[in-house]
Amino acid sequence: MSRLPRPIDLASRRLGGGVMAANDEHFGKKERLLDPSDPVSHAAHTGLTGDLYDGWETRRRRGPGDDWALVRLGAAGIVREIVVDTRHFRGQNPPSCTIEACAVEGFPSAESVLADDEVRWVPLVKQVPLLADDVNRLPVDSALRMTHVRLSIHPDGGVARLRVLGDVVPDPRRLHGMTFDLAAQANGGRVVACSDEFFGNPTNINAPTPQLRKEKGWESNRRRSGGHDHLVIELAAKGVVGIIDYDTTYYTGNSPESFSLEGCDATASDLRDPDAWFSLLARTEGRHDTPHWFSALPAPAVTHVRLNIYPDGGVSRLRLWGRPDGTGRSHLAHRWFNSLPEDHAAAVLRNLDVPAGIAARVVPGRPFPTPAETIAALRHADDGPGVGKLLELFEV
């Protein structure tokens, strides 16, 4: 069984992340920081500005100051680890770096994020040394949901790749009242168990689409004995699955012979109990290189699903379209509201026309231990239309 869950790269280009600005990119463009592929060596190749390197690289600084790049996360979330990859930079790497993050409403420009005095930058990694030609893994201790990250290098140099690993925390305002993919990474779904990942990372299975030919899905080794392979996905929220998209695109001779889908409600049962799992789709024959869809069997709301493949093979994507139930909605809203930094929480309430005095009473009281306590605190603060709009996200 693979060691899971793994954090998601919140800055991934597949999720929509982007490098919004950098103060200098003389030798290497800022966009290379988020290239999903590993950096490659361009040794012995030169361009108009000198040797070529696969990454973001600034010119040699001759005065005071440091260089920086601003990244918009593709999926806002709680950052667990930063990877500053300096591979192939053997003399041009920065001696050290600092990483900060912030959370803002909407889709502001780089200029407004950087110039707004009300934006609160939170240090995720204080200044630390960086090794040359290495994958520098920097742990982060934070419980706050962030939307943007700023990498500062001291004083200059080159960085091949930047990965911002963490847990997606979706904004319930975007999902409220909608049928959506309960398994999707972008919505907070995550793979938490897998029997085998010899040929393909299981976290690919709920990655955004479309899948490109060079990318892989989840693929297990060839089974030479009995049994079958499986993986388990924790859904973005407890919900009722309606439509199952099972996609074997690009697996032309190595997709499973058949598959089945089971569900479990971890709020009521132990995931380790075999009897806690019930069928969402009986064992069904599949086709190579084909996107399939099926209606799920009538079943209660679930928090986890288990995809069983018989006996082995590769699956490109699994999408589970459905709606969260009342418990799922309240937990989704509770986690989001509790994890907002204070300035972002205040901005959310301001956009809902909640009076500043009420926001000042509610925001510092977080985190609330349970959804019920969050709801009680909001109701105690005010019963006006602004707070009512926020309570609607909890469906109470």
Side-chain angles (χ1 to χ4, degrees), residues 165-178:
L165 306 180
D167 302 326
V168 176
V169 180
D171 189 329
R173 294 173 294 180
R174 178 173 64 88
L175 305 174
H176 183 62
M178 302 293 291

Side-chain angles (χ1 to χ4, degrees), residues 184-204:
Q185 282 180 18
N187 296 331
R190 58 179 188 160
V191 179
V192 295
C194 177
S195 61
D196 185 280
E197 54 178 300
F198 189 85
F199 287 112
N201 190 327
T203 59
N204 291 334

Side-chain angles (χ1 to χ4, degrees), residues 19-150:
V19 186
M20 300 179 71
N23 72 311
D24 186 297
E25 46 185 326
H26 183 80
F27 290 112
K29 294 298 184 182
K30 62 184 185 297
E31 286 80 11
R32 290 178 180 164
L33 279 172
L34 302 187
D35 189 320
S37 61
D38 286 339
V40 298
S41 173
H42 293 314
H45 291 79
T46 59
L48 294 177
T49 57
D51 293 345
L52 296 179
Y53 289 90
D54 184 8
W56 168 55
E57 186 181 359
T58 67
R59 71 193 77 200
R60 298 186 186 221
R61 184 171 281 276
R62 300 308 188 190
D66 303 291
D67 293 324
W68 54 266
L70 175 66
V71 174
R72 181 196 66 251
L73 300 181
I78 298 171
V79 181
R80 304 298 185 190
E81 182 181 43
I82 304 284
V83 178
V84 181
D85 188 338
T86 60
R87 278 179 288 179
H88 311 303
F89 286 96
R90 297 183 174 88
Q92 307 86 343
N93 64 290
S96 62
C97 77
T98 300
I99 300 164
E100 305 161 284
C102 70
V104 295
E105 279 280 88
F107 306 94
S109 66
E111 292 77 15
S112 62
V113 172
L114 296 169
D116 190 344
D117 292 335
E118 294 186 0
V119 173
R120 176 173 169 252
W121 288 93
V122 177
L124 297 183
V125 177
K126 295 182 179 180
Q127 188 167 348
V128 294
L130 293 174
L131 297 176
D133 190 26
D134 204 352
V135 179
N136 296 269
R137 309 191 77 93
L138 310 175
V140 175
D141 183 11
S142 174
L144 299 176
R145 177 186 185 270
M146 298 300 182
T147 61
H148 294 71
V149 165
R150 180 167 60 193

Side-chain angles (χ1 to χ4, degrees), residues 267-329:
T267 66
S269 305
D270 189 334
L271 293 174
R272 296 168 296 182
D273 180 3
D275 294 331
W277 294 85
F278 48 85
S279 179
L280 297 177
L281 186 70
R283 184 169 175 174
T284 302
E285 184 180 357
R287 298 282 177 260
H288 297 296
D289 192 26
T290 302
H292 314 67
W293 71 269
F294 305 91
S295 295
L297 296 171
V302 297
T303 60
H304 293 71
V305 297
R306 182 165 60 203
L307 172 65
N308 301 303
I309 58 173
Y310 305 94
D312 53 41
V315 181
S316 298
R317 295 291 186 269
L318 179 71
R319 291 173 290 272
L320 304 173
W321 302 95
R323 285 180 177 243
D325 70 352
T327 300
R329 285 188 292 269

Side-chain angles (χ1 to χ4, degrees), residues 317-374:
R317 295 291 186 269
L318 179 71
R319 291 173 290 272
L320 304 173
W321 302 95
R323 285 180 177 243
D325 70 352
T327 300
R329 285 188 292 269
S330 64
H331 279 274
L332 198 66
H334 171 255
R335 186 186 183 207
W336 165 75
F337 188 63
N338 264 351
S339 64
L340 296 176
E342 286 202 6
D343 58 327
H344 192 194
V348 166
L349 295 180
R350 187 165 57 248
N351 286 344
L352 292 172
D353 298 323
V354 174
I358 295 171
R361 293 199 301 270
V362 173
V363 170
R366 302 165 312 132
F368 301 106
T370 65
E373 289 174 80
T374 304

